[in-house]
Amino acid sequence: MGIAAAPWPSAAAFDATGLSVGGLAASQLAEEFGTPLVVVDEDHMRARCREFREAFPDVLWAVKAFPARALIRIALEEGLGVLAATGGELDACLRAGAAGDRVVLHGNNKLDHEIAAGVEAGVRFVILDNGEEVERVAAAARTAGVKQAVLLRIAPGVDVETHAYIKTAAPDTKFGTPVTGGQALEALRLAVEAADLDVHGIHLHLGSQLLDGRPYRAGLVAGLDFLAEARKQLDFRARILDVGGGMGTTYIEENPLPVRELALQIEADLESGCRERRLETPPLLVEPGRAIASGSALTLYRVGSIKHVPDLRTFVAVDGGMSDNIRPALYGSRYTVGLASRASDAEPHTVTIAGRHCESGDMLARDVSLPGDVRRGDLLAFASTGAYEYSMASNYNKVGRPAVVAVAEGRARLIARRETYEDLADLDVD
Ligand SMILES: *Cc1c(COP(=O)(O)O)cnc(C)c1O
């Protein structure tokens, strides 16, 4: 026992008293802040930011993974820019203190007020999803009296190996403008001709939880073919090539390529691809979300009841569920789970961890191994819950969102308070 390896955050350790994070016992954290509780290892997240910043020339953190103000600040402090998918995320970035020029705004169906807010905030780029956005972003730029820097998102039509819901670049996608049939070239022409826009380059995003460099290679082929065509037809030269995010993380025993190696591979593919097409090599921009946040956090739950269904299954029900983590129900995602409040030598048993919502599909983890003596009152920890858990949380069954604490230097600080009945009641109008 001792410091736990991935998927646990670096500061997590299992010993004779159970799990601790940065020297703070999980049971003490649960006592002080309640459960479910999201615990972020701040140094782990800072280290992930630095790994990306050192490996790639230009990095944005996709804040949709976990848009808590304190975490956005960590990314900014570590020298990353931030990527916002909506006006709400843009607002969170600005409230976190981001200068407009460190924010990039994307989204497949931006609302007019979101575009206006982005342009007014002076965002570094608005990523045009399609040709129809050209005039809308240009109009906002005219109103603000600025020339807005933009990228065009292309749909490269490459199919990557990941869950269908997190594929974003297959031919059948709602994101970006297809390179096929001249559509992306036409959108680029419109954008280049728009006097109020300055087109810096192109953007693509291949999908999520990608474990190696192959999808990026396929994306680069499509992107560079498009740029070669754009140079020929429009004399367009890209000053940025944004290859998106999607870098994978460890939930169970997935083994994503280390960031440094991935960067070297993408840079090499970019260089050779440009050489083959006689293009100048544009600077690379990347947008990791999950790979920075996921492994930085864990979630603590309290065990409520245990139900043995003879010959079928043992359900261990906890005080959270699909409202704080929809991923198992949405994608069939799996997690590593550990007993957090104590150590146990009991024989391991295979159990299913159920949430407390009124849905049969509200299971947080099916068929995981836990000590056979797990009982009511124990704490369970789920590893790698820093991306797309809290940010996808809902209030189903009028359950408030959990509290979030960040642990650093042996101290825990509350960065998002637990949602109360009061909070939940506030939106209803009598
Ligand atoms: C979601 C998203 C990201 C981040 O994706 P991860 O899989 O979390 O790295 C980056 N870029 C775009 C355009 C996205 O939509």
Side-chain angles (χ1 to χ4, degrees):
M1 288 192 267
I3 293 290
W8 300 99
S10 319
F14 285 93
D15 65 19
T17 61
L19 170 69
S20 63
V21 183
L24 302 174
S27 38
Q28 185 190 323
L29 290 169
E31 191 69 38
E32 186 175 349
F33 298 101
T35 49
L37 181 67
V38 182
V39 182
V40 179
D41 174 356
E42 188 171 325
D43 289 340
H44 188 112
M45 180 162 166
R46 287 185 187 280
R48 291 298 284 165
C49 288
R50 281 196 291 271
E51 258 187 85
F52 272 95
R53 204 196 53 207
E54 282 158 17
F56 288 98
D58 199 355
V59 185
L60 307 173
W61 180 44
V63 304
K64 70 174 188 240
F66 202 153
R69 235 178 2 249
L71 302 187
I72 295 173
R73 272 190 202 122
I74 288 176
L76 292 168
E77 283 164 13
E78 295 302 331
L80 274 55
V82 284
L83 178 72
T86 61
E89 288 182 7
L90 168 65
D91 182 67
C93 293
L94 298 175
R95 284 175 198 262
D101 63 2
R102 293 183 69 184
V103 186
V104 171
L105 179 65
H106 72 116
N108 74 301
N109 180 26
K110 298 171 204 67
L111 309 180
D112 282 328
H113 71 81
E114 295 177 313
I115 292 174
V119 171
E120 275 157 29
V123 294
R124 182 178 170 199
F125 301 123
V126 174
I127 300 178
L128 304 170
D129 182 83
N130 53 68
E132 183 267 336
E133 282 191 354
V134 169
E135 182 39 40
R136 293 173 54 216
V137 176
R142 259 194 312 280
T143 304
V146 298
K147 192 165 173 126
Q148 178 62 52
V150 298
L151 305 178
L152 174 68
R153 179 166 184 171
I154 62 164
V158 299
D159 216 343
V160 300
E161 261 177 63
T162 192
H163 191 286
Y165 285 9
I166 51 178
K167 279 182 190 181
T168 53
D172 187 3
T173 180
K174 68 169 184 166
F175 297 105
T177 304
V179 286
T180 48
Q183 291 180 72
L185 200 62
E186 177 57 16
L188 183 65
R189 189 184 60 75
L190 286 175
V192 167
E193 287 174 357
D196 304 287
L197 302 183
D198 182 8
V199 189
H200 282 241
I202 61 164
H203 171 274
L204 49 96
H205 173 67
L206 297 157
S208 203
Q209 186 57 3
L210 310 175
L211 297 175
D212 61 36
R214 285 172 299 180
Y216 297 93
R217 181 169 296 164
L220 279 175
V221 168
L224 295 178
D225 280 348
F226 175 72
L227 286 180
E229 189 62 18
R231 192 190 49 192
K232 199 166 116 202
Q233 305 288 340
L234 307 171
D235 195 30
F236 176 77
R237 279 150 221 269
R239 286 166 282 158
I240 286 277
L241 177 53
D242 184 342
V243 294
M247 299 78 180
T249 193
T250 306
Y251 290 101
I252 310 278
E253 48 194 17
E254 305 88 334
N255 200 7
L257 197 63
V259 176
R260 177 91 194 120
E261 283 171 45
L262 179 67
L264 290 174
Q265 215 177 85
I266 296 176
E267 296 273 10
D269 289 341
L270 175 64
E271 294 268 336
S272 64
C274 287
R275 211 176 318 115
E276 277 167 32
R277 295 169 183 80
R278 299 175 189 285
L279 292 167
E280 289 154 54
T281 307
L284 200 59
L285 177 60
V286 292
E287 310 167 338
R290 185 192 311 271
I292 283 177
S294 182
S296 306
L298 57 84
T299 301
L300 298 175
Y301 297 100
R302 184 80 68 182
V303 174
S305 69
I306 295 181
K307 189 173 294 177
H308 301 283
V309 185
D311 306 323
L312 276 177
R313 196 179 285 283
T314 296
F315 290 105
V316 174
V318 296
D319 56 358
M322 64 194 296
S323 60
D324 64 84
N325 186 356
I326 190 72
R327 295 184 65 258
L330 186 60
Y331 309 129
S333 307
R334 295 173 60 233
Y335 287 87
T336 300
V337 186
L339 175 60
S341 41
R342 61 191 171 89
S344 168
D345 296 328
E347 264 310 285
H349 279 220
T350 298
V351 301
T352 286
I353 300 174
R356 67 194 195 93
H357 293 278
C358 303
E359 283 286 325
S360 297
D362 177 32
M363 298 298 158
L364 285 171
R366 284 177 203 274
D367 301 329
V368 291
S369 179
L370 283 178
D373 65 349
V374 164
R375 53 185 182 251
R376 176 174 165 79
D378 277 335
L379 285 174
L380 300 183
F382 275 55
S384 214
T385 57
Y388 307 110
E389 288 85 5
Y390 187 84
S391 68
M392 288 189 171
S394 75
N395 294 126
Y396 180 46
N397 292 143
K398 284 281 186 196
V399 170
R401 275 168 278 219
V404 185
V405 295
V407 169
E409 292 165 355
R411 288 189 26 231
R413 101 188 130 104
L414 188 67
I415 63 168
R417 66 173 173 80
R418 184 175 305 283
E419 219 170 8
T420 62
Y421 290 160
E422 214 78 309
D423 294 323
L424 298 178
D426 257 2
L427 295 181
D428 285 8
V429 177
D430 296 311

